[in-house]
Amino acid sequence: MERPLGRPREVERVLGERGTGEGSAREALAERLRELREGSGRTYASLARRIGVSGSTLHRYCTGQTVPAEFAPVERLARLCGRPGEEREALHRLWLRADAERVERQEAGMAGAPAAGVGEDTAAGADAGAVTEAGADAAARGSRGTPTGTRAPSGSVPPAAAAVHRDEDSSAYAGGPPAHAPRSPSLRRWVQALAVCTVAALALVLVAASAGPSRQQQRPERQPPVARPSAPPFTWTSDDHVWKYGCGHTYLVGGPPAAVPPPPAEADAESWATALGAVHAGETGVRITLQGTDERAVVLEALRIRVVERREPAEGRVHRMSSGCGGALTPRMFDVDLDVERPVARSVPGNDTGEPIPAVSFPYRVSASDPEVFLVTGRAARCDCDWVAELRWSSGGRSGTVRIDDDGRPFRTSGAPGRPVHDYDFVTRRWVAEP
């Protein structure tokens, strides 16, 4: 039986009692998540499957070891436990504070890493500044040295403007325009150009009138506009930084090991990899969360994998995120071999915190109250592959195919044959090459 969480403002009260020190919002968020989990009467494994994370990941959320990278799993947990909208809003405000603390800690860690090539960039910037200043001086000298006749002296009036000014003055004094006002050269050029344009337009009209009727008879009728396909009746999100056990993953990094920061938590992996230009090495775990927009069921019929580009494996060094951590296997429901010519997403069994999860093939059903989570693992050993997933669906007489990618970009997985492997030594606080 679920335990009530009290007033929605209790989150702010708990945070205020803890103070504003580092980690206070994270601890308060973990405490609220523990209350939700305990009040539901369910295990970590059963709750985690419903909100789209592993049991070990949900346990780290509830103990304060990790702050969720996005609010979606927290909101799904609150909805699953029947919390009203006001309490979910209070949880969202608390998550925003905890996430801000996480970002501050991450930025402090990144600032401590040595920056490669700072001296060269500074020298290059100084040289560029010198060239810019020299160019500005040359331009100034060129403008001062402009020959007389190419630029009118300051305060002078061009001849055409002076002629017009005299015409206006004479008409003002004499009560009307003069009998023989001189025309300026610019006015004569405009008149000539206007006459040429008029003659050309008349010629085009005559040609069109003579050849128009026969061509109009041969022109096909205008077809009605084709209706664009409407949005699918479900929403989806993707996360391509899903690690084994929540801490086991490998990245290819091009820079020297001394310039690579320590391995991040799984929730911070995306920003860590983006800052370094890192590439998934060997395999990419993608979590796809789907939920209907209303209570009508949407049938998910098939999942196809399309490799959009193949290259030779990327260069760099392999950096392993795992440091001997343990735990149950994170569910891997679909496995894809990207090295074959036509990769196929095959349903495979898994387990979550010791509870077996059987392999289930398509079709699936989703709705607003019954979401679904797919875990797709793309593996590559002989290529640097860009790939996307295509999900075919049908609902209420409608059907279509949705492309699932990384925010408009394909997912990327590269093999790492013969690349040097590095592990992080937390005692010496540096990356050490594997012997």
Coordinates of all heavy atoms in Angstrom, one line a residue, residues 61-102:
Y61 N 19.8 6.2 -8.0 CA 19.0 7.4 -7.9 C 18.5 7.5 -6.4 O 18.5 8.6 -5.9 CB 17.8 7.3 -8.8 CG 18.1 7.4 -10.3 CD1 17.2 7.1 -11.3 CD2 19.4 7.8 -10.7 CE1 17.5 7.2 -12.6 CE2 19.7 7.9 -12.1 CZ 18.8 7.6 -13.0 OH 19.1 7.7 -14.3
C62 N 18.0 6.4 -5.9 CA 17.3 6.5 -4.6 C 18.3 6.6 -3.4 O 18.0 7.0 -2.3 CB 16.5 5.2 -4.4 SG 15.0 5.1 -5.5
T63 N 19.6 6.3 -3.7 CA 20.6 6.4 -2.6 C 21.4 7.7 -2.8 O 22.3 7.9 -2.0 CB 21.5 5.2 -2.6 OG1 22.1 5.0 -3.9 CG2 20.8 3.9 -2.2
G64 N 21.2 8.5 -3.8 CA 21.9 9.7 -4.0 C 23.2 9.6 -4.7 O 24.0 10.6 -4.8
Q65 N 23.6 8.4 -5.2 CA 24.9 8.2 -5.8 C 24.9 8.9 -7.2 O 26.0 9.4 -7.6 CB 25.2 6.7 -6.0 CG 25.3 6.0 -4.7 CD 25.6 4.5 -4.9 OE1 26.2 4.1 -5.9 NE2 25.1 3.6 -4.0
T66 N 23.8 9.0 -7.8 CA 23.7 9.6 -9.2 C 22.4 10.4 -9.3 O 21.3 10.0 -8.7 CB 23.6 8.5 -10.3 OG1 24.8 7.7 -10.1 CG2 23.6 9.1 -11.7
V67 N 22.5 11.6 -9.9 CA 21.3 12.4 -10.2 C 20.8 12.1 -11.6 O 21.7 12.0 -12.6 CB 21.7 13.9 -10.1 CG1 20.5 14.8 -10.6 CG2 22.1 14.3 -8.7
P68 N 19.6 11.8 -11.8 CA 19.1 11.5 -13.2 C 19.4 12.6 -14.2 O 19.3 13.8 -13.9 CB 17.5 11.4 -13.0 CG 17.4 11.0 -11.6 CD 18.5 11.7 -10.9
A69 N 19.9 12.2 -15.4 CA 20.3 13.2 -16.4 C 19.1 13.9 -17.0 O 19.3 15.0 -17.5 CB 21.1 12.5 -17.5
E70 N 17.9 13.4 -16.8 CA 16.7 14.0 -17.3 C 15.6 13.7 -16.3 O 15.7 12.8 -15.5 CB 16.3 13.5 -18.7 CG 16.2 12.1 -18.8 CD 15.9 11.6 -20.3 OE1 16.0 12.5 -21.2 OE2 15.6 10.4 -20.5
F71 N 14.5 14.5 -16.4 CA 13.4 14.4 -15.4 C 12.5 13.3 -15.8 O 11.7 12.9 -15.0 CB 12.7 15.8 -15.3 CG 11.6 15.8 -14.3 CD1 11.8 15.6 -13.0 CD2 10.2 15.9 -14.8 CE1 10.8 15.6 -12.1 CE2 9.2 15.9 -13.9 CZ 9.5 15.7 -12.5
A72 N 12.6 12.8 -17.0 CA 11.6 11.8 -17.5 C 11.4 10.6 -16.6 O 10.3 10.2 -16.2 CB 11.9 11.4 -18.9
P73 N 12.5 9.9 -16.2 CA 12.3 8.7 -15.3 C 11.7 9.1 -13.9 O 10.9 8.3 -13.4 CB 13.7 8.2 -15.1 CG 14.7 9.2 -15.5 CD 13.9 10.1 -16.5
V74 N 12.0 10.3 -13.4 CA 11.4 10.7 -12.1 C 9.9 10.9 -12.3 O 9.1 10.5 -11.5 CB 12.1 12.0 -11.6 CG1 11.5 12.5 -10.3 CG2 13.6 11.8 -11.4
E75 N 9.6 11.6 -13.4 CA 8.1 11.8 -13.6 C 7.4 10.5 -13.8 O 6.3 10.3 -13.3 CB 7.9 12.7 -14.9 CG 6.5 13.1 -15.1 CD 6.3 13.9 -16.4 OE1 7.2 14.0 -17.2 OE2 5.2 14.5 -16.5
R76 N 8.0 9.6 -14.6 CA 7.3 8.3 -14.8 C 7.2 7.5 -13.5 O 6.1 6.9 -13.3 CB 8.1 7.5 -15.8 CG 8.0 7.9 -17.2 CD 8.5 6.9 -18.2 NE 9.9 6.7 -18.1 CZ 10.8 7.3 -18.9 NH1 10.4 8.2 -19.7 NH2 12.1 7.0 -18.8
L77 N 8.1 7.6 -12.6 CA 8.0 7.0 -11.3 C 6.9 7.6 -10.5 O 6.1 6.9 -9.8 CB 9.4 7.1 -10.6 CG 9.4 6.5 -9.1 CD1 9.1 5.0 -9.2 CD2 10.7 6.8 -8.5
A78 N 6.8 9.0 -10.5 CA 5.7 9.6 -9.8 C 4.4 9.3 -10.3 O 3.4 9.0 -9.6 CB 6.0 11.1 -9.8
R79 N 4.2 9.2 -11.6 CA 3.0 8.8 -12.2 C 2.6 7.4 -11.9 O 1.5 7.1 -11.6 CB 3.0 9.0 -13.8 CG 3.0 10.5 -14.2 CD 3.0 10.5 -15.8 NE 3.0 11.9 -16.3 CZ 1.9 12.6 -16.5 NH1 0.7 12.0 -16.3 NH2 1.9 13.8 -17.0
L80 N 3.6 6.5 -12.0 CA 3.3 5.1 -11.7 C 2.9 4.9 -10.2 O 2.1 4.0 -9.9 CB 4.6 4.3 -11.9 CG 4.5 2.8 -11.8 CD1 3.5 2.2 -12.8 CD2 5.9 2.1 -12.0
C81 N 3.4 5.8 -9.3 CA 3.0 5.7 -7.9 C 1.7 6.5 -7.6 O 1.4 6.7 -6.4 CB 4.1 6.2 -7.0 SG 5.6 5.1 -7.1
G82 N 1.1 7.1 -8.6 CA -0.2 7.8 -8.5 C 0.0 9.2 -7.8 O -1.0 9.7 -7.2
R83 N 1.1 9.8 -8.0 CA 1.3 11.2 -7.4 C 0.5 12.2 -8.2 O 0.6 12.2 -9.4 CB 2.7 11.6 -7.3 CG 3.6 10.7 -6.4 CD 3.1 10.7 -4.9 NE 2.2 9.6 -4.7 CZ 1.4 9.5 -3.6 NH1 1.4 10.5 -2.7 NH2 0.7 8.4 -3.4
P84 N -0.1 13.2 -7.6 CA -0.9 14.2 -8.4 C 0.1 15.2 -9.0 O 1.3 15.2 -8.8 CB -1.7 14.9 -7.3 CG -1.0 14.7 -6.0 CD -0.3 13.3 -6.1
G85 N -0.5 16.1 -9.8 CA 0.3 17.0 -10.6 C 1.1 18.0 -9.8 O 2.3 18.3 -10.1
E86 N 0.6 18.5 -8.6 CA 1.3 19.4 -7.8 C 2.6 18.8 -7.2 O 3.6 19.4 -7.1 CB 0.4 19.9 -6.7 CG -0.8 20.7 -7.1 CD -1.7 21.2 -6.0 OE1 -1.4 20.9 -4.8 OE2 -2.6 22.0 -6.2
E87 N 2.5 17.5 -6.8 CA 3.7 16.9 -6.2 C 4.7 16.6 -7.3 O 5.9 16.7 -7.1 CB 3.3 15.6 -5.6 CG 2.4 15.8 -4.3 CD 2.1 14.5 -3.6 OE1 2.8 13.5 -3.9 OE2 1.3 14.5 -2.7
R88 N 4.2 16.3 -8.6 CA 5.2 16.1 -9.6 C 5.9 17.5 -10.0 O 7.1 17.5 -10.3 CB 4.5 15.6 -10.9 CG 3.9 14.2 -10.7 CD 3.6 13.5 -12.0 NE 2.7 14.3 -12.9 CZ 1.4 14.1 -12.8 NH1 0.8 13.2 -12.0 NH2 0.6 14.8 -13.6
E89 N 5.2 18.6 -9.9 CA 5.8 19.9 -10.1 C 6.9 20.2 -9.0 O 8.0 20.7 -9.3 CB 4.8 21.0 -10.1 CG 3.8 20.9 -11.4 CD 2.8 22.0 -11.3 OE1 2.8 22.8 -10.3 OE2 1.9 22.1 -12.2
A90 N 6.6 19.8 -7.8 CA 7.5 20.0 -6.7 C 8.8 19.2 -6.9 O 9.9 19.6 -6.7 CB 6.9 19.7 -5.4
L91 N 8.5 17.9 -7.4 CA 9.7 17.0 -7.7 C 10.5 17.6 -8.8 O 11.7 17.5 -8.8 CB 9.2 15.6 -8.1 CG 8.9 14.7 -6.9 CD1 8.2 13.4 -7.4 CD2 10.1 14.4 -6.2
H92 N 9.8 18.2 -9.8 CA 10.6 18.8 -10.9 C 11.5 20.0 -10.5 O 12.6 20.1 -10.9 CB 9.6 19.3 -12.0 CG 10.3 19.8 -13.2 ND1 10.2 21.1 -13.6 CD2 11.0 19.2 -14.2 CE1 10.9 21.3 -14.7 NE2 11.4 20.1 -15.1
R93 N 10.9 20.8 -9.6 CA 11.8 21.9 -9.1 C 13.0 21.4 -8.3 O 14.1 21.9 -8.4 CB 10.9 22.8 -8.2 CG 9.9 23.6 -9.0 CD 9.3 24.7 -8.1 NE 8.4 24.2 -7.0 CZ 7.1 23.9 -7.1 NH1 6.5 24.2 -8.3 NH2 6.5 23.4 -6.1
L94 N 12.7 20.3 -7.5 CA 13.8 19.7 -6.7 C 14.9 19.1 -7.7 O 16.1 19.2 -7.5 CB 13.3 18.7 -5.8 CG 14.3 18.0 -4.9 CD1 15.1 19.0 -4.1 CD2 13.6 17.0 -3.9
W95 N 14.4 18.4 -8.7 CA 15.4 17.8 -9.7 C 16.2 18.9 -10.4 O 17.4 18.7 -10.6 CB 14.6 17.0 -10.7 CG 15.5 16.5 -11.8 CD1 16.3 15.5 -11.8 CD2 15.7 17.2 -13.1 NE1 17.0 15.4 -13.0 CE2 16.6 16.4 -13.8 CE3 15.1 18.3 -13.7 CZ2 17.0 16.7 -15.1 CZ3 15.5 18.6 -15.0 CH2 16.5 17.8 -15.7
L96 N 15.6 20.1 -10.7 CA 16.3 21.2 -11.3 C 17.5 21.6 -10.5 O 18.6 21.9 -10.9 CB 15.4 22.3 -11.7 CG 14.4 22.1 -12.8 CD1 13.5 23.3 -12.9 CD2 15.1 21.9 -14.1
R97 N 17.2 21.7 -9.2 CA 18.3 22.1 -8.2 C 19.4 21.1 -8.2 O 20.6 21.4 -8.2 CB 17.7 22.4 -6.9 CG 16.7 23.6 -6.8 CD 16.3 23.8 -5.4 NE 15.3 24.9 -5.3 CZ 14.7 25.3 -4.2 NH1 15.0 24.7 -3.1 NH2 13.8 26.2 -4.3
A98 N 19.0 19.8 -8.1 CA 20.0 18.7 -8.0 C 20.8 18.7 -9.3 O 22.0 18.4 -9.3 CB 19.3 17.4 -7.7
D99 N 20.1 18.9 -10.5 CA 20.8 18.8 -11.7 C 21.8 20.0 -11.8 O 22.9 19.8 -12.4 CB 19.8 18.8 -12.9 CG 20.5 18.6 -14.2 OD1 21.0 17.6 -14.4 OD2 20.4 19.6 -15.0
A100 N 21.4 21.2 -11.3 CA 22.3 22.3 -11.4 C 23.6 22.0 -10.5 O 24.7 22.3 -10.9 CB 21.6 23.6 -10.8
E101 N 23.4 21.4 -9.4 CA 24.6 21.0 -8.6 C 25.5 20.0 -9.4 O 26.7 20.1 -9.3 CB 24.1 20.3 -7.3 CG 23.5 21.3 -6.3 CD 23.0 20.6 -5.0 OE1 23.2 19.3 -5.0 OE2 22.5 21.2 -4.1
R102 N 24.9 19.0 -10.1 CA 25.6 18.1 -10.8 C 26.4 18.8 -11.9 O 27.6 18.5 -12.2 CB 24.7 17.0 -11.5 CG 25.4 16.0 -12.3 CD 24.4 15.0 -12.9 NE 23.4 15.7 -13.8 CZ 23.7 15.9 -15.0 NH1 24.8 15.6 -15.6 NH2 22.7 16.5 -15.8

